[in-house]
Amino acid sequence: MRNVIIARYGEIHLKGNNRHYFEKVLLDNIKQHLSFTDIQVEKISGRYLISNYDISKENSILSKLQKVFGLTSISPAIELKTSKDAIDSYIKSIQLTGTFKIDTTRADKTFPIPSNEYSPYLGGLILANNPTSKVDLHNPNTIINIDIRENSYTYISYNKLQGAGGMPVSTSGKGLLLLSGGIDSPVAGYLMAKRGLTINAIYFHSYPYTSEQAKKKVIDLAKTLTDYTGKIRLFVVPFTKIQEEINALCIPEYLITIMRRFMFKIAEKVAINNDCSCLITGENLAQVASQTVQGITTSNSVLDIVPTFRPLISFDKVEIMRISQKINTFDISNLPYEDCCTVFVPKRPVIKPTVEKAKHEESKIVNAQELIEWAINNIEIIDL
Amino acid sequence: MIYFDNASTTKLDNRLNEVIYKYNNLDYFNPSAPYIKSVYISQDIQTARNNILNALNADSNKIITFTSCATEANNTVLLGQLNKRYKKVLISDGEHKSVYNTINFIKNMGFIVETVKLNANGIVDFEDFKIKMTPDVGLVSFIHVSNETGAINPIKELCNHAKSINPNVIFHSDGVQAFGKIKVNVTDLGVDFYTVSAHKIHGPKGIAALYSKQPIKPFIIGGGQQNDNRSGTENVSGIMALGEIVKYFDIDKNYDYVSKLKEKFITFFNEKENVKINSNSNNSPYIVSISFSGVNGETLVHMLEEKDICISTGSACSSKKANNIALASMGLPTLLIKGNIRISFDTSNTEEEVEILCTELYNAYFNLYNKTNRRQ
């Protein structure tokens, strides 16, 4: 008998011939998330079994596993060599109060008792030893899962923790997240990682207009995201010269529009140079002045090749904040340091910019290409 | 590196190395232990206490309680010494955050907290104080020298007035920016509590002291150290360093020297357009608050950082709000609050450094203003 953890996956079940690929990636991701301690992981018939770990670290392991995309539920369990005596004996040792239910799955058909007979029998054993407990099949306080597997082992677990869901990170390729210090962009990164993207991030740094603390804040946000996404490569783009040029030459109403177009241009090049097949932004429709359909169209129109995913486009702010709190980025995002978006803020930014007008304003920056190249050549790379 | 952020912290005085070494490596005994070596340590601590009382011009029978920092000392008074007989607490808009940010906590304890406005010079507005100082005020806390502007509150007059309205009122003053820099005589000031800190006067971080007339109600409970005023094993090396550094005070000489530095700085900026100095000649010469219209003060700080000059923002500003309560209370418009920085001098600074500071600061402002205001 030993303590183990069972981790189950969801959507991967729907995959056909390439299911093994997804299972293999998920296995690797589990290992990476649990690299802080010694463990053994193996795949057993549609689930993963984590064993040979230091029991004092079980809670940490469970908490890490809950952040692995692709897993739908996780249960700490007891592993027994399958035999009626061993199972009965363990069930007799259980002490519980309140209502309970026994749920038996008999994948090993050589086990002589069908599950619909074995569950009530085991329930009787518990009742005999726990006079205050009571069976409730509909809304029990405790569900005891008896999982009799084909590998000649039985797994008994009490509670099922919710997994992060989604698809294993990296099975959908790699995306480049435009990360600011705000609340939205980390959430956007989290949501796309949930759909299997490996996340790289790009941050536009406008020192001395923005502080080193603002940069540290973004690094901290990316680092926090790695709990879910695994390793993140962060590109820090020196953006000051470009912002100064835009501010000096373009009409104030278009400052933010033009700034965003430059960001997208740089992001696309960085994405292509680093095998990222899409951009990810925290953009939302109608949250702030630049987030109109026209605003999004005008900034998006600079992109030639890569698509932009905007997973938050329809979210209410409170919904975004809720996720942000769940993934622990909210408090970091709320730190007061400014990001580059707030350095040169016009009194009246244009609500409905046009591509033509934006291009006209941009044409005033004659050395734009040079500035972009300089910024890209001077990127600082931080691996988190 | 040129350092003009001495109100934030100061460099350790090398003369303290010996005493710090001694009490960490040689005489490292716990002063509460029963053996004779420990008894000697507790006697040394008493000597340090006497030195500090002496530096504060306090009677030798008054109490010095050592704390881990001035924030703890201020919290000890604001949160630990409240008297339920009186429901009101008064502080000013010019308090350090370790006082100001206790407001909500005090309110949650069932008290009413009122804040007294500052006048245009940055000191407590006496008229507003007179209105708010009612017989039901049980505790008053006013900063002695403002950490933002260097304004010096007339603590004696404020304390006298408070006591004339309620003789039982507890009067506290945060003297962190005053101690060792201007003459402090707590007996003359009449205060019940006075906070000082070591690292603002070239002592080590992690040690501060609270002067009090009477034993305090303990705020930190435990083994009953320091006559139960503040439990926790004493930071002996810190205490001894603080007890030592006060012996080096040369207030008049240093005051004159730093005044010259301040004068040089102010003379340079006095006539400059769009620049406002928020400190006057009555203020402490150690701190100057200056506002540059139309730019962000924090950006100026970073621009000077690139020139290896350390200064400070007077406030944590964001583009959306300028949240410096003291400057706002003085009536400064938002634009000047946003463009505010703080220069704080020390005897280790030279006139040449001040010249470099003036030139670099003005150049930075000129460049920044032109870059950010061309079209707005």
Side-chain angles (χ1 to χ4, degrees):
Chain A
M1 189 172 82
R2 61 175 181 165
N3 288 85
V4 295
I5 295 168
I6 297 165
R8 305 172 191 85
Y9 56 72
E11 262 184 71
I12 296 175
H13 283 297
L14 304 175
K15 297 290 176 187
N17 289 338
N18 57 355
R19 182 166 142 185
H20 288 300
Y21 162 72
F22 288 88
E23 288 174 340
K24 169 74 172 61
V25 173
L26 183 51
L27 179 67
D28 291 343
N29 290 353
I30 289 172
K31 283 180 183 165
Q32 198 199 331
H33 275 76
L34 300 184
S35 60
F36 71 99
T37 185
D38 289 335
I39 47 129
Q40 193 179 325
V41 197
E42 58 194 301
K43 198 179 77 59
I44 52 158
S45 52
R47 64 202 68 192
Y48 297 93
L49 187 73
I50 293 103
S51 60
N52 290 342
Y53 54 84
D54 176 355
I55 191 72
S56 70
K57 295 197 172 138
E58 188 173 75
N59 283 339
S60 312
I61 294 171
L62 289 169
S63 147
K64 293 267 184 195
L65 284 171
Q66 283 188 282
K67 294 174 178 171
V68 178
F69 289 125
L71 294 177
T72 51
S73 70
I74 298 112
S75 302
I78 297 294
E79 183 189 66
L80 304 168
K81 191 85 181 152
T82 300
S83 82
K84 180 175 175 300
D85 285 350
I87 299 170
D88 289 2
S89 163
Y90 182 76
I91 290 293
K92 280 179 192 166
S93 74
I94 290 176
Q95 293 187 335
L96 58 79
T97 53
T99 58
F100 75 96
K101 171 190 174 183
I102 304 250
D103 207 343
T104 306
T105 310
R106 191 183 56 130
D108 176 7
K109 300 300 178 194
T110 65
F111 189 77
I113 311 166
S115 52
N116 60 350
E117 289 175 26
Y118 199 36
S119 289
Y121 165 76
L122 292 174
L125 293 182
I126 287 182
L127 287 172
N129 289 313
N130 298 279
T132 58
S133 65
K134 212 175 148 186
V135 173
D136 182 348
L137 298 182
H138 303 290
N139 193 22
N141 301 128
T142 310
I143 299 175
I144 302 170
N145 287 289
I146 317 284
D147 197 2
I148 306 167
R149 306 303 308 172
E150 300 99 319
N151 64 354
S152 79
Y153 284 99
T154 294
Y155 301 93
I156 302 175
S157 60
Y158 296 73
N159 64 29
K160 215 179 232 189
L161 304 170
Q162 201 177 353
M167 298 299 291
V169 165
S170 95
T171 54
S172 299
K174 194 155 67 172
L176 182 64
L177 170 69
L178 278 75
L179 188 61
S180 71
I183 292 168
D184 299 353
S185 51
V187 175
Y190 160 81
L191 289 175
M192 291 318 299
K194 189 180 175 197
R195 294 313 302 165
L197 277 177
T198 295
I199 301 295
N200 279 357
I202 186 166
Y203 165 64
F204 297 90
H205 189 42
S206 295
Y207 188 86
Y209 300 102
T210 55
S211 63
E212 286 300 312
Q213 289 159 311
K215 178 173 146 190
K216 185 178 175 299
K217 175 179 167 182
V218 169
I219 294 170
D220 288 347
L221 282 173
K223 183 78 190 150
T224 305
L225 267 185
T226 61
D227 284 351
Y228 288 90
T229 62
K231 290 174 182 168
I232 288 181
R233 172 163 282 193
L234 174 66
F235 300 93
V236 179
V237 182
F239 202 53
T240 313
K241 285 186 185 180
I242 292 175
Q243 280 206 285
E244 285 179 351
E245 283 302 298
I246 298 171
N247 186 57
L249 300 170
C250 305
I251 58 169
E253 293 82 352
Y254 266 72
L255 290 184
I256 290 175
T257 307
I258 307 283
M259 181 188 77
R260 294 185 69 81
R261 283 168 63 86
F262 269 92
M263 287 176 173
F264 272 91
K265 279 181 200 173
I266 292 171
E268 184 176 47
K269 283 182 195 292
V270 172
I272 291 167
N273 292 344
N274 292 278
D275 300 322
C276 296
S277 45
C278 62
L279 301 183
I280 304 160
T281 73
E283 284 169 298
N284 174 275
L285 192 61
Q287 194 188 93
V288 298
S290 63
Q291 293 178 337
T292 57
V293 175
Q294 293 84 349
I296 291 169
T297 306
T298 309
S299 50
N300 199 69
S301 69
V302 302
L303 299 176
D304 291 325
I305 301 165
V306 299
T308 303
F309 293 150
R310 300 177 172 85
L312 304 181
I313 198 74
S314 68
F315 280 46
D316 288 351
K317 192 74 186 182
V318 287
E319 294 174 301
I320 301 170
M321 284 160 62
R322 217 173 285 139
I323 299 175
S324 167
Q325 278 160 341
K326 186 181 103 180
I327 64 172
N328 295 323
T329 54
F330 184 77
D331 288 342
I332 306 172
S333 294
N334 259 347
L335 293 170
Y337 317 117
E338 296 186 69
D339 61 41
C340 56
C341 301
T342 53
V343 174
F344 300 106
V345 184
K347 287 197 179 78
R348 278 177 292 279
V350 61
I351 306 292
K352 295 180 178 176
T354 66
V355 176
E356 291 69 30
K357 181 88 174 150
K359 281 183 175 168
H360 172 72
E361 285 303 314
E362 255 166 28
S363 68
K364 296 175 183 171
I365 306 171
V366 288
N367 60 341
Q369 208 47 44
E370 206 178 292
L371 288 170
I372 289 174
E373 272 165 29
W374 184 89
I376 291 174
N377 290 336
N378 286 280
I379 278 176
E380 179 190 2
I381 294 176
I382 301 171
D383 283 316
L384 299 164
Chain B
M1 193 259 292
I2 300 179
Y3 187 74
F4 281 111
D5 194 19
N6 293 286
S8 161
T9 195
T10 52
K11 189 179 171 185
L12 188 78
D13 188 320
N14 284 335
R15 288 173 291 183
L16 298 177
N17 290 345
E18 199 180 317
V19 74
I20 291 170
Y21 180 84
K22 177 173 186 265
Y23 288 96
N24 280 323
N25 295 280
L26 306 174
D27 295 335
Y28 53 84
F29 313 100
N30 188 322
S32 302
Y35 27 85
I36 192 70
K37 286 180 188 333
S38 295
V39 175
Y40 289 148
I41 305 284
S42 55
Q43 285 170 355
D44 290 348
I45 289 178
Q46 194 50 46
T47 307
R49 274 202 176 90
N50 291 338
N51 292 350
I52 296 162
L53 285 171
N54 193 36
L56 285 165
N57 287 296
D59 293 339
S60 58
N61 62 351
K62 296 295 185 282
I63 293 162
I64 289 292
T65 303
F66 293 107
T67 61
S68 65
C69 56
T71 295
E72 186 198 320
N74 287 346
N75 274 218
T76 299
V77 178
L78 272 289
L79 303 177
Q81 311 304 313
L82 294 162
N83 182 346
K84 287 206 164 126
R85 275 175 64 196
Y86 305 104
K87 62 179 182 185
K88 242 166 82 176
V89 174
L90 281 191
I91 64 168
S92 84
D93 281 338
E95 298 307 306
H96 184 266
K97 284 190 163 52
S98 57
V99 169
Y100 200 89
N101 286 350
T102 61
I103 290 180
N104 284 337
F105 209 91
I106 298 173
K107 283 181 178 170
N108 287 339
M109 290 161 82
F111 293 88
I112 298 165
V113 184
E114 287 190 8
T115 54
V116 181
K117 288 194 197 104
L118 303 183
N119 68 17
N121 292 323
I123 61 171
V124 168
D125 183 317
F126 216 98
E127 293 310 309
D128 194 40
F129 177 49
K130 277 187 192 162
I131 295 165
K132 288 171 178 161
M133 184 60 224
T134 46
D136 56 350
V137 172
L139 195 151
V140 177
S141 182
F142 290 147
I143 197 164
H144 195 176
V145 171
S146 164
N147 57 306
E148 306 263 10
T149 62
I152 304 174
N153 272 318
I155 296 296
K156 183 179 180 180
E157 288 74 20
L158 293 162
C159 184
N160 277 343
H161 179 72
K163 301 265 177 193
S164 74
I165 303 296
N166 177 7
N168 295 322
V169 73
I170 293 167
F171 198 103
H172 166 249
S173 184
D174 172 356
V176 165
Q177 299 294 351
F179 188 55
K181 299 181 179 186
I182 64 168
K183 282 181 181 161
V184 175
N185 182 330
V186 286
T187 312
D188 187 47
L189 294 176
V191 294
D192 300 285
F193 290 93
Y194 194 83
T195 300
V196 302
S197 174
H199 76 104
K200 310 287 191 187
I201 46 173
H202 300 280
K205 295 170 184 67
I207 184 72
L210 180 64
Y211 157 87
S212 62
K213 282 182 179 169
Q214 303 287 332
I216 64 176
K217 291 188 223 163
F219 182 62
I220 298 216
I221 316 285
Q225 287 89 343
Q226 302 200 54
N227 290 329
D228 214 18
N229 287 326
R230 196 275 193 186
S231 285
T233 300
E234 293 89 337
N235 170 1
V236 181
S237 68
I239 289 170
M240 295 313 295
L242 178 54
E244 183 73 12
I245 195 84
V246 299
K247 292 198 284 187
Y248 308 148
F249 283 176
D250 195 346
I251 289 174
D252 288 336
K253 186 176 147 212
N254 293 345
Y255 189 96
D256 289 345
Y257 178 79
V258 171
S259 294
K260 276 185 206 149
L261 301 181
K262 176 189 172 185
E263 195 52 43
K264 196 172 186 70
F265 179 81
I266 288 187
T267 309
F268 182 91
F269 281 104
N270 236 350
E271 301 298 316
K272 297 282 188 288
E273 208 178 330
N274 292 331
V275 180
K276 184 175 183 306
I277 299 202
N278 308 309
S279 306
N280 62 37
S281 56
N282 295 325
N283 288 17
S284 160
Y286 286 84
I287 297 173
V288 174
S289 165
I290 180 167
S291 290
F292 294 89
S293 179
V295 298
N296 190 339
E298 192 185 327
T299 310
L300 282 178
V301 171
H302 296 316
M303 290 173 84
L304 262 72
E305 184 187 351
E306 288 192 318
K307 304 281 180 191
D308 216 14
I309 301 173
C310 294
I311 57 169
S312 168
T313 44
S315 63
C317 283
S318 81
S319 61
K320 287 166 193 156
K321 55 177 182 179
N323 58 357
N324 189 309
I325 295 155
L327 297 179
S329 187
M330 287 163 67
L332 240 68
T334 310
L335 205 61
L336 290 180
I337 295 176
K338 209 179 149 187
N340 175 253
I341 55 166
R342 180 185 73 180
I343 309 293
S344 43
F345 300 103
D346 182 66
T347 47
S348 59
N349 292 126
T350 62
E351 293 201 21
E352 291 72 35
E353 285 179 341
V354 176
E355 281 165 19
I356 296 168
L357 169 71
C358 291
T359 312
E360 293 294 350
L361 182 56
Y362 193 65
N363 285 345
Y365 171 56
F366 187 78
N367 289 336
L368 183 60
Y369 186 89
N370 284 336
K371 278 178 183 167
T372 52
N373 290 273
R374 223 174 280 182
R375 291 187 166 270
Q376 290 197 47

